[in-house]
Protein backbone atom coordinates (compact mmCIF):
# COMPACT_ATOMS: atom_id res chain seq x y z
CA UNK A 1 0.00 0.00 0.00
CA UNK A 2 1.30 3.46 -0.90
CA UNK A 3 1.93 5.94 1.85
CA UNK A 4 -0.37 8.94 2.03
CA UNK A 5 1.43 12.23 1.48
CA UNK A 6 -0.30 15.48 2.43
CA UNK A 7 0.81 18.77 0.91
CA UNK A 8 -0.42 22.32 1.31
CA UNK A 9 -1.83 23.63 -1.97
CA UNK A 10 -3.53 26.80 -3.00
CA UNK A 11 -7.33 26.44 -3.03
CA UNK A 12 -7.36 27.67 -6.63
CA UNK A 13 -4.53 25.37 -7.83
CA UNK A 14 -5.55 23.01 -10.67
CA UNK A 15 -5.18 19.84 -8.53
CA UNK A 16 -7.22 21.40 -5.73
CA UNK A 17 -9.92 22.55 -8.11
CA UNK A 18 -10.19 19.13 -9.78
CA UNK A 19 -10.78 17.51 -6.38
CA UNK A 20 -13.23 20.24 -5.35
CA UNK A 21 -15.22 19.73 -8.59
CA UNK A 22 -15.36 15.99 -7.82
CA UNK A 23 -16.48 16.74 -4.25
CA UNK A 24 -19.24 19.04 -5.47
CA UNK A 25 -20.35 16.45 -8.04
CA UNK A 26 -20.57 13.85 -5.26
CA UNK A 27 -22.63 16.22 -3.13
CA UNK A 28 -24.80 17.04 -6.15
CA UNK A 29 -25.58 13.34 -6.59
CA UNK A 30 -26.55 13.08 -2.93
CA UNK A 31 -28.50 16.32 -2.56
CA UNK A 32 -29.18 17.64 -6.07
CA UNK A 33 -28.22 20.96 -7.54
CA UNK A 34 -24.62 22.15 -7.55
CA UNK A 35 -23.79 20.17 -4.42
CA UNK A 36 -22.91 23.15 -2.23
CA UNK A 37 -23.75 26.80 -2.79
CA UNK A 38 -21.89 28.06 0.28
CA UNK A 39 -19.94 31.20 -0.67
CA UNK A 40 -16.24 30.33 -0.70
CA UNK A 41 -13.34 32.60 -1.62
CA UNK A 42 -9.93 31.08 -2.37
CA UNK A 43 -8.28 33.83 -0.31
CA UNK A 44 -9.98 32.47 2.84
CA UNK A 45 -7.68 29.43 2.63
CA UNK A 46 -4.42 31.39 2.54
CA UNK A 47 -2.20 31.05 5.63
CA UNK A 48 -2.35 32.20 8.34
CA UNK A 49 -6.13 32.73 8.00
CA UNK A 50 -6.71 29.24 6.60
CA UNK A 51 -5.15 26.40 4.66
CA UNK A 52 -5.98 23.90 1.94
CA UNK A 53 -4.40 20.46 1.83
CA UNK A 54 -4.23 17.78 -0.85
CA UNK A 55 -3.57 14.09 -0.19
CA UNK A 56 -1.54 12.01 -2.63
CA UNK A 57 -1.22 8.25 -3.05
CA UNK A 58 1.49 7.11 -5.41
CA UNK A 59 1.94 10.71 -6.51
CA UNK A 60 -1.71 11.07 -7.57
CA UNK A 61 -4.03 13.60 -5.88
CA UNK A 62 -6.80 11.58 -4.20
CA UNK A 63 -8.22 13.73 -1.42
CA UNK A 64 -8.48 17.20 -0.01
CA UNK A 65 -9.72 19.37 2.79
CA UNK A 66 -9.16 22.78 4.20
CA UNK A 67 -10.06 25.24 6.87
CA UNK A 68 -10.95 28.90 6.98
CA UNK A 69 -11.45 31.21 9.91
CA UNK A 70 -14.91 31.36 11.46
CA UNK A 71 -16.18 34.17 13.64
CA UNK A 72 -14.48 37.34 14.72
CA UNK A 73 -12.51 36.13 17.74
CA UNK A 74 -9.88 34.15 15.78
CA UNK A 75 -10.52 31.02 17.83
CA UNK A 76 -12.62 28.88 15.46
CA UNK A 77 -11.78 27.22 12.17
CA UNK A 78 -14.38 25.89 9.74
CA UNK A 79 -13.60 22.64 7.93
CA UNK A 80 -14.46 22.83 4.21
CA UNK A 81 -14.24 20.72 1.07
CA UNK A 82 -13.29 17.39 2.63
CA UNK A 83 -13.23 14.77 -0.10
CA UNK A 84 -11.67 11.44 -0.98
CA UNK A 85 -11.77 10.07 -4.54
CA UNK A 86 -13.65 6.74 -4.81
CA UNK A 87 -10.47 4.86 -5.86
CA UNK A 88 -8.79 5.81 -2.56
CA UNK A 89 -11.66 5.32 -0.12
CA UNK A 90 -11.13 2.94 2.77
CA UNK A 91 -7.38 3.60 2.86
CA UNK A 92 -7.24 6.24 5.59
CA UNK A 93 -7.02 9.26 3.29
CA UNK A 94 -9.88 11.20 4.87
CA UNK A 95 -8.60 10.59 8.40
CA UNK A 96 -5.09 11.68 7.37
CA UNK A 97 -6.44 14.86 5.76
CA UNK A 98 -8.66 15.59 8.76
CA UNK A 99 -5.71 15.21 11.16
CA UNK A 100 -3.54 17.45 8.98
CA UNK A 101 -6.26 20.11 8.73
CA UNK A 102 -6.74 20.06 12.51
CA UNK A 103 -2.98 20.31 13.06
CA UNK A 104 -2.75 23.26 10.65
CA UNK A 105 -5.59 25.11 12.37
CA UNK A 106 -4.10 24.44 15.80
CA UNK A 107 -0.70 25.72 14.63
CA UNK A 108 -2.39 28.98 13.60
CA UNK A 109 -3.87 29.41 17.07
CA UNK A 110 -7.35 28.06 16.45
CA UNK A 111 -8.89 26.41 19.49
CA UNK A 112 -12.00 24.83 17.93
CA UNK A 113 -12.98 23.39 14.58
CA UNK A 114 -16.54 23.22 13.26
CA UNK A 115 -18.20 21.88 10.15
CA UNK A 116 -21.49 21.58 8.31
CA UNK A 117 -22.50 18.20 6.93
CA UNK A 118 -25.66 16.73 5.49
CA UNK A 119 -27.63 13.72 6.65
CA UNK A 120 -26.98 11.95 3.32
CA UNK A 121 -23.27 11.59 4.11
CA UNK A 122 -23.23 8.67 6.58
CA UNK A 123 -19.55 7.88 5.94
CA UNK A 124 -18.52 11.44 6.82
CA UNK A 125 -20.76 11.54 9.88
CA UNK A 126 -19.30 8.24 11.14
CA UNK A 127 -15.74 9.50 10.62
CA UNK A 128 -16.34 12.84 12.32
CA UNK A 129 -18.07 11.30 15.35
CA UNK A 130 -15.37 8.65 15.72
CA UNK A 131 -12.78 11.46 15.58
CA UNK A 132 -14.39 13.20 18.56
CA UNK A 133 -16.74 15.64 16.85
CA UNK A 134 -20.04 16.33 18.57
CA UNK A 135 -23.26 17.87 17.32
CA UNK A 136 -23.44 21.64 17.76
CA UNK A 137 -26.18 24.12 16.84
CA UNK A 138 -26.41 24.50 13.07
CA UNK A 139 -24.61 27.48 11.57
CA UNK A 140 -23.64 28.78 8.17
CA UNK A 141 -25.22 28.80 4.76
CA UNK A 142 -27.35 25.68 5.30
CA UNK A 143 -28.22 26.15 8.98
CA UNK A 144 -31.97 26.17 8.29
CA UNK A 145 -31.93 23.52 5.55
CA UNK A 146 -33.56 20.16 6.24
CA UNK A 147 -30.93 17.51 6.92
CA UNK A 148 -28.18 19.97 7.92
CA UNK A 149 -25.98 18.64 10.71
CA UNK A 150 -23.24 20.71 12.31
CA UNK A 151 -20.37 19.30 14.34
CA UNK A 152 -17.45 20.67 16.30
CA UNK A 153 -14.58 19.72 18.55
CA UNK A 154 -11.89 21.35 20.61
CA UNK A 155 -8.44 21.26 19.04
Amino acid sequence: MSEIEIRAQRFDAPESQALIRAALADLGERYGGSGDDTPVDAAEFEPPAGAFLVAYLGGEPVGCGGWRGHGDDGEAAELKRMYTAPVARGRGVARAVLAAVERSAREQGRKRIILECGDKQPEAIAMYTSAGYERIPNFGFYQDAPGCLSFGRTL
Side-chain angles (χ1 to χ4, degrees):
M1 183 189 303
S2 297
E3 188 169 325
I4 300 165
E5 181 186 355
I6 309 251
R7 292 184 226 152
Q9 287 283 6
R10 290 182 52 91
F11 185 87
D12 54 6
E15 288 179 342
S16 301
Q17 285 297 301
L19 289 163
I20 291 166
R21 280 191 301 277
L24 294 175
D26 180 79
L27 292 171
E29 288 177 19
R30 294 172 193 250
Y31 299 102
S34 70
D36 185 354
D37 293 322
T38 304
V40 174
D41 181 342
E44 296 173 311
F45 297 90
E46 290 294 319
F52 197 76
L53 306 172
V54 173
Y56 298 82
L57 274 176
E60 294 298 315
V62 295
C64 64
W67 69 272
R68 63 184 181 177
H70 181 84
D72 295 329
D73 63 6
E75 292 197 358
E78 180 185 8
L79 181 68
K80 292 298 295 175
R81 301 298 186 248
M82 281 288 294
Y83 176 72
T84 302
V87 299
R89 290 181 184 161
R91 298 176 70 182
V93 171
R95 287 189 184 278
V97 171
L98 182 61
V101 167
E102 291 173 343
R103 190 168 39 256
S104 169
R106 191 178 313 108
E107 288 170 355
Q108 294 302 328
R110 303 301 166 141
K111 296 181 178 11
R112 183 158 183 76
I113 190 161
I114 60 173
L115 65 97
E116 272 185 313
C117 189
D119 62 359
K120 295 180 182 176
Q121 295 168 264
E123 322 88 329
I125 293 166
M127 181 188 69
Y128 295 135
T129 56
S130 73
Y133 286 75
E134 297 177 344
R135 286 290 312 274
I136 62 171
N138 286 346
F139 71 93
F141 191 79
Y142 290 103
Q143 71 184 24
D144 297 322
C148 178
L149 303 171
S150 295
F151 294 89
R153 75 174 284 243
T154 301
L155 292 172

